[in-house]
Amino acid sequence: MERDLFGPIKKYFEMYGYIADGEVNDIDLYMEKGEESVAVELKVTLDFKSVQQAAQRQKLVDTVFIGIFKPKDINSRSFADKLYILKRLGIGLIVVSKRTKTVEIVSEPVVSDIAKYKVSNKRKKKALSEEFQKRRTKNNTGGVRGEKLITGYREDALLVLDTLAELGGEASTKLVREQSGIKRSTNIMHDNYYGWFVNVDRGVYRICQSGYDALEEFEDTIYLLRRGDAGK
């Protein structure tokens, strides 16, 4: 329960000279040390509501923490994402061990500059822009799950597939590359990520049944790709 967090965290701050009390104007744990004021919102789990409440406390208090029991997933990617939000908002995080009652400040209540994160994620930013630029049709619907996305790679594979179909369903890698205009067409057929192609001889590929099924399934996408003379 949240009340089980109160004692260990209060004691922890008192060791550093803070004077503390609970439920001061609805703040779970309020403290002062000289002119500095600190609030700690005690929560069972770190969720949006707890972040929202802590952000509201920032209007009144110099420093704000959220206090929770140490979660099992503290080293997970999902928890790191939550920490990122707290750091961007300047809200600190305190965790308490259920077994030992040990208190640990996981994140200081200091606003992290977004520029720092942008520098460390330059490669991902570049990959994001490159994927966007590769997509010719840009016809995906956002907010959906379980549907097949039309990525830049899938668009290239569809153009290779359609070209191979136009060549009678079987052709050499050289001819497919020349006709499709897709430089990586040989790799696409060799890797066969979607299971559309079958290697029938050295440097020769044929469309298998799943490939013909894909020609029907993605007929509209192929039309859009061809209409724009894409890939050439």
Side-chain angles (χ1 to χ4, degrees), residues 25-228:
N25 289 358
D26 296 328
I27 295 176
D28 294 334
L29 175 57
Y30 178 79
M31 298 169 279
E32 290 185 355
K33 181 180 179 181
E35 296 184 356
E36 180 190 5
S37 59
V38 179
V40 182
E41 287 301 323
L42 307 176
K43 301 297 176 184
V44 176
T45 58
L46 181 59
D47 55 17
F48 177 76
K49 186 176 181 180
S50 61
V51 175
Q52 181 184 38
Q53 194 168 24
Q56 292 295 325
R57 301 306 185 206
Q58 289 179 311
K59 299 176 182 178
L60 309 173
V61 183
D62 298 326
T63 303
V64 179
F65 289 89
I66 295 174
I68 62 172
F69 286 111
K70 189 172 184 177
K72 294 180 180 179
D73 67 342
I74 194 167
N75 295 317
S76 68
R77 173 64 183 274
S78 61
F79 194 81
D81 290 341
K82 293 178 181 179
L83 276 181
Y84 166 75
I85 295 173
L86 294 183
K87 289 176 180 179
R88 290 289 296 128
L89 293 174
I91 298 170
L93 180 68
I94 301 171
V95 298
V96 178
S97 169
K98 284 187 176 181
R99 184 174 62 85
T100 65
K101 307 304 180 191
T102 303
V103 175
E104 177 185 358
I105 295 181
V106 175
S107 180
E108 296 287 347
V110 179
V111 177
S112 294
D113 188 353
I114 189 64
K116 179 186 73 172
Y117 294 101
K118 287 187 175 181
V119 169
S120 63
N121 285 275
K122 273 187 175 180
R123 187 175 298 176
K124 290 183 178 180
K125 180 182 179 181
K126 183 181 179 182
L128 174 66
S129 180
E130 287 178 349
E131 172 59 26
F132 179 75
Q133 295 298 331
K134 286 177 185 175
R135 297 184 181 187
R136 305 168 180 84
T137 57
K138 294 181 175 62
N139 204 32
N140 292 298
T141 300
V144 298
R145 295 293 181 271
E147 292 189 9
K148 296 177 181 177
L149 292 176
I150 306 301
T151 63
Y153 184 88
R154 192 188 291 271
E155 287 180 341
D156 280 355
L158 285 170
L159 286 170
V160 170
L161 180 67
D162 190 53
T163 298
L164 191 54
E166 289 182 344
L167 293 170
E170 181 179 317
S172 68
T173 55
K174 180 181 179 181
L175 189 56
V176 172
R177 183 172 62 254
E178 291 174 350
Q179 293 294 318
S180 68
I182 304 300
K183 295 180 180 180
R184 56 178 174 177
S185 60
T186 299
N187 288 335
I188 288 173
M189 290 186 289
H190 176 269
D191 295 339
N192 198 21
Y193 182 79
Y194 301 114
W196 298 342
F197 311 101
V198 58
N199 184 207
V200 294
D201 200 351
R202 184 177 178 85
V204 178
Y205 284 84
R206 176 190 300 160
I207 300 175
C208 59
Q209 185 55 51
S210 60
Y212 286 109
D213 292 341
L215 287 170
E216 292 186 15
E217 181 181 1
F218 297 103
E219 182 180 2
D220 291 342
T221 300
I222 293 171
Y223 170 76
L224 291 173
L225 290 168
R226 289 302 190 190
R227 188 179 64 179

